[in-house]
């Protein structure tokens, strides 16, 4: 059993910044890739950013140059630093983590945290 706890969402003005955190705990042998997805008000699901165990990163074109993804392996935590936020970034952000539990590999999703960008 693995639990993901997300934090950092909230209301922010256009041009502002937020940092999202997602921490995994439980029966963890190791963690593989981590990522952030978002569900927009139009009910679309899209990859925002992902980071491999080796630190390679990938970003959606819409957030390149504005968002940064990082991980702290000692704390089983992934971060999403969001700068220069736009109203179009408003969405529910969900953490995605690949976890090795003993001999099993499973993908876990966080519960989601709301990010609202508005004046």
């Amino acid at each position: 059993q693995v639990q993901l706890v997300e934090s950092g969402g909230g209301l922010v003005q256009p041009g502002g910044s937020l940092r999202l955190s997602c921490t995994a705990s439980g029966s963890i042998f190791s963690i593989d890739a981590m990522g952030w997805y978002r569900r927009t008000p139009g009910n679309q699901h899209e990859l925002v950013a992902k980071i491999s165990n080796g630190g390679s990163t990938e970003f959606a074109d819409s957030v390149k140059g504005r968002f940064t993804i990082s991980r702290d392996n000692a704390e089983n935590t992934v971060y999403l630093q969001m700068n220069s936020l736009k109203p179009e970034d408003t969405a529910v952000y969900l953490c995605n983590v690949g976890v090795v539990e003993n001999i099993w590999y499973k993908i876990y999703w966080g519960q989601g945290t709301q990010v609202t960008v508005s004046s």
Side-chain angles (χ1 to χ4, degrees), residues 24-42:
S25 62
S27 302
I28 300 172
F29 179 78
S30 65
I31 294 180
D32 192 23
M34 295 178 163
W36 291 92
Y37 291 72
R38 64 187 181 188
R39 183 171 63 247
T40 69

Side-chain angles (χ1 to χ4, degrees), residues 1-2 7 12 19-21 25-26 34-35 38 40 42 48-49 52 55-56 65 74 77 82 87 92 106 115 117:
Q1 184 77 281
V2 172
S7 64
V12 65
R19 188 173 78 153
L20 307 183
S21 300
S25 62
M34 295 178 163
R38 64 187 181 188
T40 69
V48 178
S52 72
S56 298
T77 299
M82 304 184 293
V92 175
K106 296 180 64 176
V115 172
V117 185

Side-chain angles (χ1 to χ4, degrees), residues 37-100:
Y37 291 72
R38 64 187 181 188
R39 183 171 63 247
T40 69
N43 209 32
Q44 293 185 330
H45 292 75
E46 60 183 0
L47 172 69
V48 178
K50 62 181 180 180
I51 183 168
S52 72
N53 190 44
S56 298
T57 59
E58 181 179 335
F59 298 91
D61 288 340
S62 60
V63 307
K64 286 181 179 177
R66 300 188 296 119
F67 290 12
T68 300
I69 188 170
S70 60
R71 61 191 290 165
D72 185 337
N73 291 331
E75 298 294 332
N76 293 331
T77 299
V78 61
Y79 302 95
L80 185 68
Q81 178 67 47
M82 304 184 293
N83 300 322
S84 302
L85 283 162
K86 305 175 181 179
E88 307 94 272
D89 296 317
T90 295
V92 175
Y93 285 72
L94 302 104
C95 176
N96 175 269
V97 179
V99 179
V100 178

